[in-house]
Amino acid sequence: MRSLWAAALLLRRLRAERGIVLLILVLVAATSFVFAAAPRLFNRVTDGALRHTASVALPSLRNLGLGLDSSLDPGPGGGVSGVRAYGEQLSQDFPPSVAALISDRQLRVTTVRLYVPDPPSYETHISLRYQDGLTDATRLVSGRWPVDRGVPLSQVAVGPGSGGPGGGSQTEPVILEAAMSTAQAEEIGVHVGDRLAVTLDGSDILVRGTPYRIVPTDIQVVGLYEPLDPGADYWNGDSELLQVFQHGEPDAPVAYVTAYVPAAMYPSLWASSLPFHYEWRFLIDPQRLDADQVGQLQADLHRLGLITGSTDPSSPGTVRVITGLPEILDRFAAERALAESVLSIAAIGPFGLAGGAMAMVAMLLVTRRRATLALARGRGASGSLVLGTQLWESILLAGGASLVGLLAAVTVIPARASPLSPALSLAVCGAAVLLLVGASWPVARRPLGQLERDEAPVLRVAPRRLVIEMTIVFIAVAATLLLRQRGLTIGPAGSVARFDPMLAAVPVLSGLAAGIVAVRLYPLPIRALGWLAARRRDFVPVLGLRTIGRHPAAANLPLLVLMLTAAFGAFSSVITSSVDRGQVVFSYQDVGADYRIERIGLGVLAPSLEPATISGVEAVALGILDASAPFAGGANQRATIHLDAVDPQAYAQVAAGTAADPEWPAAFLVEPTGPGVGTEQNPIPAILSAGLPVGTPHLATGDTFRIAVVGQPMVFQLVEQRATFPGMDNQAPFAVAPFNWVREATGNHRLSPTVMWLRAPGAVAGPLASYVGKVQQSARVVSRYDAYAALHDAPLGAVVATSYRLALVLAAIYMALTIVGAMVLFAARRSRDLAYLRTLGVTSRQALALTLVEHAPPVLLALVPGVALGIGVAILCAPGLGLDTFVGISGDVQLFVDWPALALMVAALIGVVAVAVMAGTWLSRRARLVDALRIGED
């Protein structure tokens, strides 16, 4: 009967504790909502990231194509109906996951390459192609669309008595009508009505070695067209029907042209029995992609290659799978896995601090109930009954609140469901129950005679507790070293990322370990400061410091939570600042300056192109870029190298103070002197990449080598080797030389540049692009601002930075709740002490000063080591986080400490602490003095 009465007493207490019970419900529900919503938000972001990745990829890579080199019957329907039906038959083997992504289909039929023996301008090769949708994507500028004249193309044997290429008896050539783009016609010098005599191109792999040739054939250009939208997806990645593709050398160019023919002409072309290039393109809709199906898609695309036999594309009649979608999915899967691992660090930090806040609320609840629990224990309630009642009460409160938070997250966040949401919500519930029951453990298990005694001093640590704390410190150190050594990745070369709870908890574990050490050690300096303060005449400092020394438990949890928050905040600041700084550095390394103007294809920039006349352009540097300049580092070596000849003085002004600053060697800043520049007697100074072309002998500083510039061999002298250089593809060998020396060596002081580097703000992008488009259509502007935006705004990279900032805000909120709880927890003691002091004449100002003295030392002892710890952990762990994925570079990301941002964070934390202390003080002052002195009563 006494046990039942005690249980009833414990359950009835909820009516008298509505405020703190409501606080527990709100805290647990809010925490459950945050952590249940996070996986759903991540699913939403990853779905958007996958669709963004697929959308920005070239359609020729994103889409799925089936290719075949053969000769297919036109079919009974004429035109390309038979070819289209064959493609539909092939598509029946597509797995359902792949077929669900297809939004449209497109057919392309291309003839073998033809050669123009008598070109209008320079060497020309032509292919004829039918492509679905071209007439809808273009407008006819002049002439008409081609039609089939009904004369079949045929072959004749080449041999004795065959009559030669003409076939002997045929005198009139076969005329095939075709249409070209205006850009193609202008480039190769043809007009509407021109006829080009063609023969088979023997260099085409499909007809190489064939004993046949086509009968005399002319291609008549009957129409010229222009695209309605050159930037449409229809053309992206496949502009063969719009542009001439040039090969060869600048002084001996070769043009490859693809002209359009109608579908009705296919039977006439097929009559020649020549092979064709067939391509069935299945357009992938990025909006149908789902990040949860990536694994299935990867397996199905691999299986599709096995079904079509594309593993051996060299065999005749083999259907090839043409797509870059597997590479897109593989890259996304790796980035998503790494983002999950990096975000796990951002999630565990607030989760640990939420535990601290809930622990403080639990301690506050038990302190409020101490008298009631002592009364229940005195009237027959056992410790097991007290704990059991607390367990059921905790399950009721925490379970209901966690369920409310989970349902709110499912309702509010419109995203794909994640099994992590209920798991994290259950974890929040379990942590809350454990903390609420654990806070009651000392009261429930302590002997009745010791229930009202103060806590033991911190320096008197039980051996068992000391072992546990030292174990936590050891685990934190080991996890930090393991994260630095192994990182968040597993597999060959760290290619696959995974979530490892211990490694992800490194910042929190490190902060916890440092907090444990600080909690154990800080009473010593506090007592020393108290001893020094006792020598002063005023009593506020000595009284405040001795209050901390007598009641260290009042500062233990706030000190620990504040140090965790400071360490996590500093860690987050360093990581996010380093990623952003790395993205800026990458943009400069990629472009070479704020803007780069370069020629499209072969040729030079127009002499009339003067971007310095545009308002906002601060500096311009001229140069020459040659991606395949002939290189010879030794005798009989034939190799190519990426040559960058740049005006060193002008480029130094363009890149001054930026990540592209070249820091030229002294030899680059000397003007060319003496005769024979570019010879063995007067070589041109040059910078070489660390990796040289294959077959290059060892080159030391002062050694010479040869590079052909615009077809003229020149001698260069190695003055320095570098691993990277702004604007260069660092994966390929490169050479950098002063443009003025190269120009002097050519003997042509008016050597036209092929590239310009500009220093200008982002606002110049629009006027600059418009100006370049008007002056020279064959030139383009590359902006480092666009390169930075592409990285900075990428969904996965952006969510990592945003998540760390949100995690810091949540950590600060939980820290504030913990400090407010600590202030309220010890409100009765503080009110009683102030009541005694007031009788001694302590003023309100002195009481405020006493509050500051009590809280300033723990804040300083937490913030300074916490910030230093966060920076140190970031330095130790950064190599293992794989941040280069979000920066765009290969290798370790150089850490960057943004001191102003870090100072702002520290100031914000101090402000949060100050507000929390004032709020706690205000709450403690609301208690009546008579209530504070009524100790042990209900």
Side-chain angles (χ1 to χ4, degrees):
M1 179 64 68
R2 286 184 300 176
S3 299
L4 293 177
W5 175 88
L9 176 64
L10 293 176
L11 293 175
R12 285 199 303 268
R13 65 194 177 191
L14 294 177
R15 288 187 304 174
E17 299 166 346
R18 290 188 298 270
I20 194 168
V21 169
L22 180 62
L23 176 61
I24 292 174
L25 290 174
V26 172
L27 180 60
V28 175
T31 304
S32 175
F33 171 80
V34 169
F35 288 97
R40 296 178 63 88
L41 285 172
F42 185 73
N43 283 345
R44 183 172 180 177
V45 170
T46 53
D47 288 345
L50 176 57
R51 292 161 187 165
H52 171 79
T53 302
S55 299
V56 299
L58 292 176
S60 57
L61 297 177
R62 176 181 69 233
N63 295 328
L64 175 64
L66 298 179
L68 175 65
D69 296 335
S70 183
S71 180
L72 300 178
D73 192 292
V80 294
S81 59
V83 180
R84 201 181 300 277
Y86 188 82
E88 294 294 331
Q89 181 182 353
L90 292 175
S91 67
Q92 298 301 316
D93 294 330
F94 287 176
S97 63
V98 176
L101 302 178
I102 298 174
S103 61
D104 201 358
R105 300 160 190 255
Q106 189 181 92
L107 173 64
R108 302 182 183 193
V109 181
T110 309
T111 66
V112 297
R113 199 162 52 239
L114 305 172
Y115 175 68
V116 182
D118 187 17
S121 56
Y122 55 92
E123 183 178 342
T124 303
H125 302 255
I126 296 181
S127 299
L128 304 179
R129 172 184 292 179
Y130 166 73
Q131 180 170 313
D132 286 344
L134 181 128
T135 55
D136 296 329
T138 59
R139 66 181 182 88
L140 202 60
V141 177
S142 60
R144 58 178 175 81
W145 291 112
V147 297
D148 179 35
R149 294 194 176 189
V151 180
L153 181 66
S154 59
Q155 297 183 74
V156 294
V158 177
S162 65
S169 60
Q170 183 167 343
T171 57
E172 292 295 327
V174 173
I175 299 177
L176 303 176
E177 294 186 357
M180 293 183 181
S181 71
T182 54
Q184 289 175 324
E186 181 181 354
E187 182 68 30
I188 65 174
V190 300
H191 306 84
V192 172
D194 288 353
R195 290 168 56 173
L196 303 174
V198 295
T199 62
L200 282 181
D201 186 348
S203 63
D204 192 324
I205 192 173
L206 291 184
V207 296
R208 187 177 300 169
T210 181
Y212 291 94
R213 293 182 181 175
I214 59 175
V215 297
T217 303
D218 288 353
I219 296 178
Q220 184 174 11
V221 180
V222 298
L224 300 178
Y225 57 83
E226 289 182 349
L228 296 176
D229 181 10
D233 283 351
Y234 185 86
W235 306 108
N236 283 344
D238 187 10
S239 56
E240 292 180 353
L241 286 167
L242 290 183
Q243 299 177 358
V244 173
F245 285 82
Q246 295 180 336
H247 297 270
E249 300 295 334
D251 54 347
V254 179
Y256 287 83
V257 182
T258 302
Y260 172 76
V261 295
M265 191 182 292
Y266 176 70
S268 299
L269 297 172
W270 178 78
S272 65
S273 299
L274 289 169
F276 291 79
H277 297 277
Y278 300 100
E279 188 175 345
W280 298 270
R281 290 206 168 185
F282 302 89
L283 308 185
I284 301 298
D285 184 3
Q287 299 305 315
R288 300 185 184 183
L289 289 169
D290 188 335
D292 197 38
Q293 300 175 354
V294 168
Q296 184 65 42
L297 272 175
Q298 289 173 309
D300 288 343
L301 287 171
H302 175 69
R303 191 179 304 114
L304 179 62
L306 299 178
I307 293 174
T308 59
S310 62
T311 54
D312 186 17
S314 61
S315 59
T318 298
V319 178
R320 305 180 305 276
V321 176
I322 308 170
T323 182
L325 190 57
E327 289 75 14
I328 294 174
L329 295 177
D330 292 345
R331 184 172 65 252
F332 166 77
E335 292 179 357
R336 180 182 63 176
L338 182 60
E340 287 177 348
S341 300
V342 175
L343 287 176
S344 64
I345 299 177
I348 290 179
F351 190 84
L353 292 167
M358 286 188 285
M360 179 56 71
V361 174
M363 291 170 58
L364 179 61
L365 178 63
V366 171
T367 302
R368 295 279 297 270
R369 291 176 173 178
R370 183 183 293 271
T372 304
L373 293 175
L375 178 62
R377 290 283 306 279
R379 295 184 179 181
S382 64
S384 300
L385 179 61
V386 172
L387 291 177
T389 306
Q390 185 64 47
L391 176 63
W392 283 108
E393 179 187 277
S394 302
I395 292 175
L396 178 65
L397 295 178
S402 297
L403 182 60
V404 170
L406 175 61
L407 294 177
V410 172
T411 304
V412 174
I413 308 299
R416 181 164 44 84
S418 171
L420 279 177
S421 292
L424 290 176
S425 181
L426 183 61
V428 171
C429 174
V433 170
L434 182 63
L435 291 171
L436 288 171
V437 175
S440 302
W441 181 272
V443 179
R445 307 303 298 176
R446 184 178 296 181
L448 291 176
Q450 299 179 7
L451 284 179
E452 296 302 326
R453 293 183 180 180
D454 292 336
E455 297 180 6
V458 175
L459 292 179
R460 299 176 184 176
V461 184
R464 181 182 303 175
R465 184 171 183 178
L466 185 61
V467 170
I468 294 175
E469 292 178 351
M470 293 304 297
T471 302
I472 294 175
V473 174
F474 174 78
I475 292 175
V477 174
T480 303
L481 296 177
L482 185 61
L483 177 59
R484 177 176 175 83
Q485 179 181 5
R486 198 193 75 181
L488 292 172
T489 59
I490 59 173
S495 57
V496 180
R498 72 173 183 182
F499 170 67
D500 190 318
M502 187 178 74
L503 299 184
V506 161
V508 176
L509 282 174
S510 301
L512 181 60
I516 289 173
V517 174
V519 165
R520 295 304 167 210
L521 296 181
Y522 94 94
L524 298 177
I526 291 298
R527 291 183 178 183
L529 290 175
W531 180 77
L532 293 176
R535 304 173 67 89
R536 296 169 54 92
R537 297 184 61 181
D538 53 342
F539 72 95
V540 170
V542 64
L543 184 59
L545 293 172
R546 289 188 175 181
T547 300
I548 299 176
R550 289 195 308 268
H551 302 280
N556 281 359
L557 189 57
L559 174 68
L560 185 61
V561 170
L562 183 55
M563 181 171 286
L564 279 173
T565 306
F568 180 76
F571 176 85
S572 302
S573 175
V574 172
I575 295 301
T576 54
S577 300
S578 298
V579 169
D580 186 72
R581 175 80 171 196
Q583 291 172 346
V584 173
V585 171
F586 168 79
S587 67
Y588 276 110
Q589 292 291 332
D590 183 52
V591 179
D594 290 333
Y595 297 95
R596 185 178 72 229
I597 303 175
E598 58 188 14
R599 174 73 161 85
I600 301 176
L602 302 176
V604 298
L605 294 177
S608 57
L609 192 62
E610 298 180 356
T613 59
I614 300 176
S615 177
V617 175
E618 302 173 13
V620 179
L622 308 180
I624 294 176
L625 285 181
D626 188 349
S628 57
F631 172 87
N636 302 322
Q637 182 187 15
R638 292 185 178 181
T640 59
I641 196 168
H642 193 135
L643 175 65
D644 182 4
V646 56
D647 185 341
Q649 299 284 358
Y651 189 78
Q653 296 179 7
V654 168
T658 70
D661 193 338
E663 298 181 357
W664 294 118
F668 270 59
L669 303 178
V670 178
E671 291 295 325
T673 57
V677 174
T679 63
E680 288 285 355
Q681 293 73 29
N682 194 3
I684 302 171
I687 298 172
L688 280 179
S689 57
L692 299 177
V694 177
T696 304
H698 174 72
L699 294 177
T701 302
D703 290 346
T704 59
F705 54 91
R706 287 170 172 77
I707 298 178
V709 183
V710 293
Q712 179 178 338
M714 300 181 186
V715 179
F716 294 80
Q717 185 177 45
L718 176 61
V719 297
E720 189 177 328
Q721 281 189 280
R722 297 184 182 181
T724 62
F725 193 83
M728 287 291 192
D729 180 6
N730 300 318
Q731 303 300 319
F734 62 82
V736 183
F739 181 59
N740 50 345
W741 283 71
V742 172
R743 185 170 50 190
E744 181 74 20
T746 61
N748 180 7
H749 294 181
R750 296 183 180 180
L751 182 64
S752 298
T754 62
V755 64
M756 296 180 181
W757 292 274
L758 281 67
R759 183 187 184 100
V764 177
L768 179 62
S770 176
Y771 169 78
V772 172
K774 292 178 181 178
V775 176
Q776 187 177 4
Q777 294 184 351
S778 58
R780 64 183 174 190
V781 178
V782 181
S783 169
R784 76 112 188 145
Y785 300 101
D786 293 339
Y788 170 77
L791 275 176
H792 187 266
D793 298 337
L796 288 180
V799 76
V800 168
T802 303
S803 297
Y804 270 93
R805 295 187 182 99
L806 290 177
L808 181 57
V809 172
L810 288 174
I813 293 174
Y814 285 124
M815 180 195 71
L817 289 175
T818 303
I819 295 174
V820 170
M823 294 292 296
V824 176
L825 179 63
F826 297 97
R829 176 186 60 78
R830 187 174 293 106
S831 297
R832 185 173 64 250
D833 291 346
L834 287 177
Y836 293 149
L837 292 174
R838 287 172 187 171
T839 62
L840 300 177
V842 173
T843 64
S844 299
R845 179 175 298 180
Q846 289 175 322
L848 178 60
L850 184 61
T851 301
L852 293 177
V853 171
E854 289 181 4
H855 292 89
V859 169
L860 294 177
L861 289 173
L863 282 179
V864 176
V867 170
L869 177 68
I871 297 175
V873 171
I875 294 174
L876 286 174
C877 299
L881 297 179
L883 300 178
D884 56 317
T885 301
F886 309 111
V887 172
I889 63 175
S890 58
D892 294 339
V893 176
Q894 185 177 2
L895 289 185
F896 173 73
V897 180
D898 189 349
W899 293 109
L902 201 59
L904 182 62
M905 183 208 70
V906 172
L909 290 181
I910 294 175
V912 171
V913 172
V915 171
V917 169
M918 288 188 293
T921 303
W922 176 76
L923 289 174
S924 65
R925 287 180 178 177
R926 292 188 62 191
R928 294 182 303 168
L929 182 60
V930 64
D931 293 335
L933 297 176
R934 293 173 61 186
I935 302 173
E937 300 182 13
D938 287 337

